[in-house]
Amino acid sequence: EIVLTQSPATLSLSPGERATLFCRASQSVNTYLAWYQQRPGQAPRLLIHDASRRATGIPARFSGSGSGTDFTLTISSLEPEDFAIYYCQQRSNWLTFGGGTRVEIK
Amino acid sequence: QLQLRESGPGLARPSETLSLTCTVSGYSIRNSSSYWGWIRQPPGKGLEWIAALYYSGSISYNPSLKSRVLISEDTSKNQFSLKMTSVTAADTAVYYCARYLKFYDAFDFWGHGTMVTVSS
């Protein structure tokens, strides 16, 4: 099983600031990585697929990068609705999710 | 407009079999562009993929749950279902059904989720 480790567990930032979230895989997943956002009480929403490609309707302030074992999700300027939990997910070997990063208001 | 709706009992007894159904509207589960899956989330915890199926009959399971779960489809009702045997308190979670779009190779559309509590 491929384990995805997300860091930091919690990110405390103010609106307008830049958020950088990390996801590390226990072995290479090529670019077979997706990112999701989950707001309280809601289902996850797909943000990024194939490591760097935004899903339809996702604002340009969200960007993904990386390949192999190290990946990054960047939110260039936080909007109030971006304070949520973010999960990475790999599809290289079965499907597994990372433990999540909570982005909270500072 | 694609919609997914999970249904099932909110409460299950330990050792019993849990049955959940996902009703899909606005999109055919026989569409070759998609797989269909179940994902769960224990209270306050992260996401865990359970199983996925393709209309052709191809099925995959999370190896850690494979011995206890069965995913199936009913194309006449545009539904797919999950059965989980021998449930314990550790199976208490919100259970989501979702579309896995091949173009994205990711879950792009989710139901709202249904909370299942395992308790005597």
Side-chain angles (χ1 to χ4, degrees):
Chain A
E1 176 187 331
I2 295 178
V3 177
L4 298 178
T5 302
Q6 292 188 241
S7 62
T10 303
L11 201 51
S12 298
L13 295 167
S14 300
E17 289 193 295
R18 182 185 189 91
T20 304
L21 289 67
F22 301 97
C23 177
R24 172 164 287 176
S26 58
Q27 62 190 76
S28 177
V29 298
N30 200 325
T31 58
Y32 303 146
L33 191 103
W35 289 93
Y36 300 83
Q37 176 195 66
Q38 187 176 33
R39 295 171 177 151
Q42 295 187 16
R45 176 174 72 139
L46 177 65
L47 300 174
I48 301 287
H49 66 99
D50 294 307
S52 61
R53 302 177 66 182
R54 274 190 304 276
T56 301
I58 301 303
R61 65 181 181 273
F62 292 93
S63 63
S65 64
S67 66
T69 60
D70 292 293
F71 300 87
T72 303
L73 174 70
T74 301
I75 311 170
S76 59
S77 178
L78 284 164
E79 297 288 338
E81 62 268 26
D82 298 338
F83 291 92
I85 300 175
Y86 293 82
Y87 294 96
C88 55
Q89 174 245 308
Q90 65 81 25
R91 63 173 179 87
S92 178
N93 179 264
W94 305 108
L95 297 173
T96 56
F97 290 88
T101 290
R102 179 185 302 273
V103 179
E104 64 175 25
I105 299 177
K106 186 174 182 180
Chain B
Q1 180 80 0
L2 171 61
Q3 291 187 353
L4 293 87
R5 187 181 75 251
E6 304 89 350
S7 58
L11 179 67
R13 305 296 182 189
S15 80
E16 291 185 343
T17 295
L18 170 65
S19 294
L20 298 172
T21 296
C22 183
T23 300
V24 180
S25 56
Y27 191 92
S28 173
I29 65 170
R30 292 186 59 84
N31 191 308
S32 60
S33 298
S34 304
Y35 289 78
W36 303 93
W38 288 96
I39 303 100
R40 70 180 180 178
Q41 185 171 36
K45 296 188 178 181
L47 301 163
E48 180 180 36
W49 168 68
I50 302 170
L53 68 80
Y54 193 53
Y55 82 98
S56 65
S58 174
I59 287 173
S60 60
Y61 294 107
N62 184 323
S64 69
L65 297 169
K66 184 175 182 178
S67 64
R68 297 198 294 125
V69 299
L70 177 70
I71 189 171
S72 61
E73 60 179 359
D74 184 338
T75 54
S76 68
K77 296 181 180 178
N78 216 40
Q79 295 175 334
F80 62 102
S81 298
L82 181 74
K83 290 189 186 301
M84 179 178 291
T85 62
S86 305
V87 297
T88 70
D91 296 311
T92 294
V94 174
Y95 285 75
Y96 295 100
C97 61
R99 182 179 75 174
Y100 188 92
L101 194 64
K102 291 171 69 178
F103 175 78
Y104 288 145
D105 256 314
F107 292 106
D108 75 315
F109 228 98
W110 298 60
H112 289 107
T114 186
M115 179 69 202
V116 176
T117 301
V118 180
S119 175
S120 55

